[in-house]
Amino acid sequence: MKKMMQFMGVLLFVTALLLSGPAAWAEEEPQYGGVLAWRITSDPPALDPAHANIVISARGANLYCETLVEISKDGQELLPMLAESWEVNEDSTVWTFRLRPGVKFHKTGYQGKPTANGGREVVAADVKYSFERLLREKAARAYFLNSIKGYQELFDEKADSWEGIEVLDDRTVRFTLSTPYAPFLAALSYTAFSIVPHEDAEKLGKDFNFQPVGTGPFILNDWKHDNEVIFRKNPDYWRKDSAGRALPYLDGVNLVVIPDSSVAYLEFGKGNIDVLSDIPNEFYSEIQEKYRDQFQSCPTLATQYYGMAVNKEPFDDVRVRQAFNYAVNREAINELVLHNTFIPGKGVLPPGMPGYNPDLESYTYDPEKAKTLLKEAGYDKGLTVTLQYNNNPRHKMIGEAVQAQMAEIGIKMELQASELGAHYDAVRRGDVPFFRAGWSGDYPDPDNFLYNLFCSDNFGQKGNYARYKNDDVDAWLKEARSISDTDKRMELYRKAEQQIVKDAPWMFLFYDTTNLVSNEKVRNIHLASMGEYQTPLTEVWKVK
Amino acid sequence: MTDVRQNAFDTAPEENPKALSSGSLWYEAWLRFRRNRLAMLGLFMILALVGIAVFAPQLAPFDPYKQLIWTEGSKAKLAAPSWAHLMGTDAYGRDIMSRVFYGARLSLQIGFLATVVSLLIGVPLGAIAGYYGGWIDDLISWLINVIFAFPFMLFVLAIVAVLNNPSMIAVFTAIGLVSWVSIARVARAQFLSLREREYVESARALGLPTRTILFKHILPNTLAPIIVQATLGIGSIILMEAGLAFLGFGAQPPEPSWGLMISDGQQYLTTGQWWWAFFPGMAIMITVLAFNFLGDGLRDALDVRLKR
């Protein structure tokens, strides 16, 4: 009964979050014009989709370039984008895409100069070129598509082209996979797999990153490093609104670099910034209160955890790992420290992810049970552990709260801050027995969480930082990615997640929510469930 | 935190009046010191701080690590100063006054310990440089100048990188390695001028070992400026520690370090919960001011040139 109540609670909370977006805008007539100022915390490291693998880069990249398919607003479905339709054979190994007719690359580019492609239509050869380019550029996330036949040969430069990608005619392209890979379609929605024109990419070489060209609603006009990234409207954009009017409504989007959150909030108050996302804790209640109608939040596909290296003392004992999980009061931390900006976590898959299991049997706050387990493991006199975390105010706050709760069961948890890059380097090498980490989904398929993070093929670099290995789990995860029957796949993922939770290589902590607050003049902005950085701006408009 | 480079004495003081025994010299200095109101205020403030630090467990109304939000809920979170919590509570419901009191322990411990370390390194090195001169002096002076010229923050970052650990040990090492130089400079200047004095020459003529000459005959005459320098140094070291803790080096949560508390509380200054950062800030200011008052007073009292 208690479990049931808890589940109802989470469900209510999630529904409330989903519904908390503003609703009163729908009836107004959209107005053209205006520039939207969106705050970013640092200069984007890259804008070339091949290298845009952190959220700030992706925010810029998905304004000007587009992929074959896109994720629906609720994150549950894959919709046609540059591809108009597709077919797949029986065992999900041959995918044939029909391209949307009449989609054109940008005619003018950086600082209004004409582009090399001259604004021509997108053809199937561009798809093949763009994908092969990723391997030639050694793009970090190209491995998402390593199931396409000929991946390794091209990657190793033993072949000139990607065997598994065939151009059938100008509007048809076919992908042949060497093994069935169910999340294939979802992976295609990832930013790196955007379609770019070969004329410009070849002409500019490395400079393509700074003067990129795509098919998107906006065109990169100017990049003032560490200051502003300026996008202007694409007058020839293919998409039309429901009444058949041209899109986008906005004249442009400026990504404004403001590292300090107090300064950003001040600028938002003055109206110089239109959209503020990832709102820091200290302003959260104030913003929620003051801008009730302009504030939105929703669950996102990301999870927060403390990893425990299962090959290192004291975490080689499953009872210790379970005790740690029983020791934290996730609900209280979320409510009292985090302003309910997270969802207390039970397992790996966040709500909203296909395969999310609301009936997962997991850990509740139970310090007595934790003490018993520690005693059984031989640590009745207590235990000292050091948590390494990347230095960030929010991680520190969670750390201090967890620290106090661990002290209740006799565990002295020391906190050691580390710089982001150094932290993940050490974690990947396996040097840190107890570490904070998080994982944000790249595409909505449980494979992107469970396979990457828990399959023993993926130790270290690829995501399995805790060095977790369970032969059953390995087998289930591999089977699930190679079959196409959705129900059967989800069944396998449920089994795997349940086993992982039982083995507890993580302290399962929270699922993330994402949020943004927009200026009162901004209309029709809908926070994307993949994260605020994916929020589409094509149909956003501003009142004068 | 640049205060550490300030020198109380760059030139040698006048020769002590030989007619007075050293006991009466110190006594006369005390009389001069007592007439200086700011200096006495500084002394009393320091005594009070030491009292708070030593008796923190008795004086603090709460356990400084106890997070009250888990038992009392959100009303204990960032509670404004009231009779229950004179300086309010922080985001975890910890009593800020208790943390400020315990923070005094941490700050004074570091201040005194680092000063002792810098005296132990600085005085002998300064003495050797000043007394022997020549290439030894060149070498040590060069080292001093290099450390003076090196940006302190960069130095700390380098040490943290080498030790791969931003803990107390790294910060303590960094402060120790840097703060001895101002002491060494003062000591060097003193020894340089005193080594030519007749009483030193006669000691040498009698064939006394150099160690005896250095530490028994010259050192007592150099104590006054070194004490002044060290006292002023304590203030700067406390400030340095707070600055480093603010940036995330040194004391790690949940230690009640003043710098750390300001760092955590600063974001709340603009949203109205000023007390989290304000009270530790006041504590740092009062402490550093107290040591500066005391140091200035000691200089005025001990430096015979300033005698009115």
Side-chain angles (χ1 to χ4, degrees):
Chain A
M1 192 59 201
K2 199 177 154 210
K3 275 232 159 67
M4 192 63 196
M5 290 298 283
Q6 260 171 5
F7 166 48
M8 292 299 283
V10 171
L11 205 69
L12 270 173
F13 179 62
V14 171
T15 324
L17 280 171
L18 278 168
L19 293 177
S20 67
W25 301 335
E27 297 82 22
E28 289 174 82
E29 184 82 354
Q31 296 175 17
Y32 281 90
V35 171
L36 185 93
W38 178 295
R39 178 251 181 162
I40 51 178
T41 51
S42 79
D43 202 41
L47 285 181
D48 184 337
H51 305 295
N53 48 25
I54 78 162
V55 295
I56 294 170
S57 292
R59 168 71 291 182
N62 57 35
L63 289 176
Y64 79 84
C65 62
E66 296 174 314
T67 45
L68 291 175
V69 295
E70 68 177 337
I71 301 166
S72 65
K73 272 177 194 147
D74 61 4
Q76 297 294 311
E77 250 182 303
L78 289 150
L79 306 174
M81 186 131 94
L82 293 187
E84 186 183 44
S85 60
W86 54 84
E87 283 161 23
V88 58
N89 73 342
E90 192 78 353
D91 64 349
S92 308
T93 50
V94 180
W95 294 77
T96 313
F97 289 84
R98 285 288 283 168
L99 295 190
R100 184 182 296 279
V103 178
K104 289 174 179 151
F105 286 118
H106 299 156
K107 195 169 176 181
T108 55
Y110 195 68
Q111 295 179 334
K113 286 178 284 196
T115 56
N117 73 75
R120 66 170 174 81
E121 207 166 302
V122 178
V123 293
D126 292 313
V127 177
K128 185 170 167 74
Y129 171 78
S130 302
F131 282 37
E132 287 179 354
R133 178 172 167 270
L134 296 177
L135 293 199
R136 298 203 179 98
E137 290 264 324
K138 303 280 180 261
R141 297 283 190 260
Y143 80 90
F144 287 170
L145 296 187
N146 62 8
S147 51
I148 300 180
K149 202 178 259 178
Y151 168 89
Q152 204 56 42
E153 287 78 2
L154 182 61
F155 190 85
D156 296 338
E157 294 168 28
K158 283 179 194 143
D160 296 333
S161 81
W162 198 333
E163 193 198 334
I165 307 179
E166 286 167 275
V167 177
L168 301 186
D169 62 51
D170 265 3
R171 281 185 52 207
T172 318
V173 61
R174 170 176 291 167
F175 297 91
T176 311
L177 310 188
S178 45
T179 53
Y181 177 50
F184 180 68
L185 197 60
L188 284 183
S189 69
Y190 183 64
T191 317
F193 309 124
S194 294
I195 310 305
V196 298
H198 66 91
E199 292 95 335
D200 295 273
E202 276 162 9
K203 185 182 149 205
L204 293 164
K206 289 272 172 236
D207 281 343
F208 186 73
N209 183 46
F210 302 103
Q211 307 177 17
V213 180
T215 56
F218 297 95
I219 300 171
L220 178 68
N221 188 268
D222 205 352
W223 187 351
K224 296 174 181 152
H225 291 274
D226 286 319
N227 182 8
E228 229 174 342
V229 193
I230 297 171
F231 290 90
R232 288 294 162 263
K233 157 187 204 160
N234 173 8
D236 306 316
Y237 189 54
W238 58 272
R239 230 190 274 239
K240 304 276 178 273
D241 73 3
S242 51
R245 281 172 298 221
L247 286 173
Y249 299 124
L250 289 168
D251 279 346
V253 175
N254 293 352
L255 304 182
V256 186
V257 182
I258 307 177
D260 186 84
S261 49
S262 334
V263 177
Y265 184 43
L266 227 57
E267 292 286 326
F268 177 78
K270 282 195 277 180
N272 295 339
I273 292 289
D274 293 314
V275 181
L276 205 60
S277 60
D278 203 9
I279 297 162
N281 255 324
E282 55 271 24
F283 307 126
Y284 206 86
S285 349
E286 190 179 316
I287 286 178
Q288 240 179 340
E289 191 81 353
K290 207 164 152 187
Y291 303 100
R292 198 170 302 141
D293 296 336
Q294 293 136 258
F295 174 85
Q296 318 180 30
S297 78
C298 72
T300 182
L301 300 184
T303 185
Q304 298 284 336
Y305 65 94
Y306 288 169
M308 299 177 273
V310 299
N311 53 356
K312 292 210 160 75
E313 256 194 285
F315 303 115
D316 49 357
D317 190 326
V318 66
R319 289 167 297 193
V320 173
R321 305 199 298 266
Q322 288 171 340
F324 276 40
N325 271 294
Y326 281 117
V328 237
N329 188 346
R330 297 159 181 85
E331 284 77 13
I333 294 180
N334 188 40
E335 187 195 329
L336 294 166
V337 178
L338 300 167
H339 302 274
N340 286 323
T341 47
F342 286 84
I343 299 165
K346 293 167 73 183
V348 184
L349 297 178
M353 171 61 92
Y356 168 70
N357 180 5
D359 304 324
L360 190 73
E361 280 176 41
S362 185
Y363 305 93
T364 45
Y365 177 54
D366 191 345
E368 287 314 311
K369 194 153 186 180
K371 277 188 216 163
T372 317
L373 279 164
L374 278 180
K375 204 173 198 171
E376 282 170 21
Y379 293 103
D380 39 351
K381 287 201 188 72
L383 176 63
T384 302
V385 290
T386 302
L387 177 85
Q388 185 175 306
Y389 67 103
N390 55 302
N391 210 350
N392 161 307
R394 194 171 292 165
H395 302 331
K396 188 164 117 182
M397 289 204 83
I398 298 174
E400 282 202 67
V402 173
Q403 187 178 47
Q405 297 182 343
M406 297 290 257
E408 302 283 310
I409 62 160
I411 291 169
K412 185 163 187 270
M413 180 173 126
E414 282 164 2
L415 291 174
Q416 187 179 318
S418 189
E419 180 271 323
L420 179 70
H423 173 68
Y424 273 104
D425 282 348
V427 167
R428 283 176 186 139
R429 279 199 308 271
D431 293 349
V432 193
F434 191 35
F435 54 90
R436 185 219 82 88
W439 183 263
S440 293
D442 302 297
Y443 48 84
D445 192 289
D447 178 71
N448 182 239
F449 273 75
L450 295 172
Y451 176 75
N452 295 28
L453 305 175
F454 296 101
C455 180
S456 63
D457 291 351
N458 294 332
F459 276 5
Q461 174 75 25
K462 285 184 178 155
N464 188 348
Y465 306 143
R467 266 75 183 164
Y468 172 73
K469 183 171 164 47
N470 179 309
D471 293 335
D472 287 339
V473 172
D474 277 356
W476 292 329
L477 292 176
K478 282 178 186 166
E479 191 190 341
R481 69 188 336 233
S482 66
I483 57 174
S484 52
D485 180 343
T486 309
D487 291 341
K488 211 166 158 212
R489 288 188 68 217
M490 296 308 150
E491 184 55 44
L492 286 167
Y493 285 127
R494 285 208 181 98
K495 267 191 344 199
E497 190 184 20
Q498 187 63 69
Q499 184 61 42
I500 292 163
V501 167
K502 208 173 141 204
D503 291 338
W506 291 2
M507 270 171 82
F508 306 95
L509 291 178
F510 301 103
Y511 305 125
D512 290 46
T513 65
T514 176
N515 55 56
L516 66 76
V517 59
S518 54
N519 188 295
E520 53 181 359
K521 289 182 180 159
V522 178
R523 294 288 186 279
N524 207 21
I525 187 164
H526 298 286
L527 184 60
S529 66
M530 284 298 289
E532 81 291 337
Y533 65 97
Q534 290 279 23
T535 301
L537 300 179
T538 316
E539 299 194 42
V540 171
W541 52 280
K542 274 174 95 172
V543 286
K544 303 244 158 50
Chain B
M1 64 193 89
T2 49
D3 230 43
V4 72
R5 278 130 200 218
Q6 159 201 338
N7 269 326
F9 289 86
D10 262 338
T11 51
E14 295 292 307
E15 191 180 348
N16 295 329
K18 280 176 193 135
L20 291 165
S21 75
S22 80
S24 62
L25 189 70
W26 289 110
Y27 181 68
E28 207 175 85
W30 165 240
L31 290 181
R32 278 198 296 275
F33 183 85
R34 234 177 40 181
R35 281 200 296 273
N36 186 338
R37 283 207 194 125
L38 274 183
M40 287 306 282
L41 179 66
L43 183 67
F44 283 123
M45 280 157 74
I46 288 168
L47 288 177
L49 279 166
V50 171
I52 287 174
V54 171
F55 296 108
Q58 286 75 37
L59 290 171
F62 290 87
D63 175 350
Y65 301 104
K66 180 81 186 166
Q67 302 185 348
L68 294 174
I69 48 170
W70 310 119
T71 46
E72 290 177 22
S74 57
K75 71 177 187 333
K77 182 187 168 88
L78 286 167
S82 64
W83 284 114
H85 301 280
L86 285 177
M87 297 183 189
T89 64
D90 67 13
Y92 307 95
R94 293 179 298 206
D95 180 59
I96 290 178
M97 190 159 88
S98 309
R99 289 178 71 74
V100 167
F101 284 1
Y102 274 83
R105 276 190 159 184
L106 207 75
S107 287
L108 291 182
Q109 262 170 15
I110 291 192
F112 286 123
L113 273 176
T115 304
V116 168
V117 171
S118 63
L119 281 172
L120 287 177
I121 306 175
V123 172
L125 279 180
I128 291 165
Y131 184 77
Y132 285 106
W135 68 268
I136 298 184
D137 183 22
D138 289 346
L139 185 75
I140 293 173
S141 297
W142 175 82
L143 191 66
I144 291 173
N145 286 331
V146 166
I147 292 178
F148 261 125
F150 214 81
F152 177 67
M153 271 318 296
L154 209 61
F155 195 72
V156 177
L157 283 175
I159 289 178
V160 168
V162 168
L163 297 178
N164 192 20
N165 181 354
S167 70
M168 247 13 229
I169 299 160
V171 165
F172 198 74
T173 317
I175 293 178
L177 283 176
V178 168
S179 58
W180 63 270
V181 290
S182 48
I183 304 262
R185 252 198 183 176
V186 173
R188 176 182 168 273
Q190 292 292 310
F191 278 81
L192 196 64
S193 82
L194 291 181
R195 70 173 183 190
E196 309 294 344
R197 292 294 151 85
E198 291 83 353
Y199 75 95
V200 178
E201 264 176 38
S202 56
R204 261 200 299 267
L206 285 171
L208 293 178
T210 315
R211 206 170 24 140
T212 318
I213 301 174
L214 274 179
F215 293 107
K216 227 172 160 185
H217 294 271
I218 307 184
L219 187 64
N221 288 302
T222 64
L223 276 184
I226 290 175
I227 289 172
V228 173
Q229 186 62 40
T231 312
L232 290 170
I234 295 177
S236 333
I237 288 169
I238 289 174
L239 211 53
M240 259 194 266
E241 189 274 329
L244 288 172
F246 179 84
L247 295 172
F249 302 112
Q252 295 293 324
E255 287 310 315
S257 151
W258 293 340
L260 203 59
M261 291 168 75
I262 296 178
S263 162
D264 287 339
Q266 54 144 348
Q267 293 283 10
Y268 291 89
L269 283 172
T270 50
T271 53
Q273 292 92 355
W274 50 272
W275 50 89
W276 193 355
F278 176 79
F279 289 109
M282 285 299 284
I284 294 176
M285 197 186 84
I286 289 171
T287 312
V288 174
L289 214 56
F291 278 103
N292 283 353
F293 285 160
L294 181 73
D296 280 343
L298 282 175
R299 175 166 51 196
D300 294 349
L302 292 171
D303 188 348
V304 282
R305 278 178 309 170
L306 294 174
K307 197 162 27 162
R308 258 159 262 161

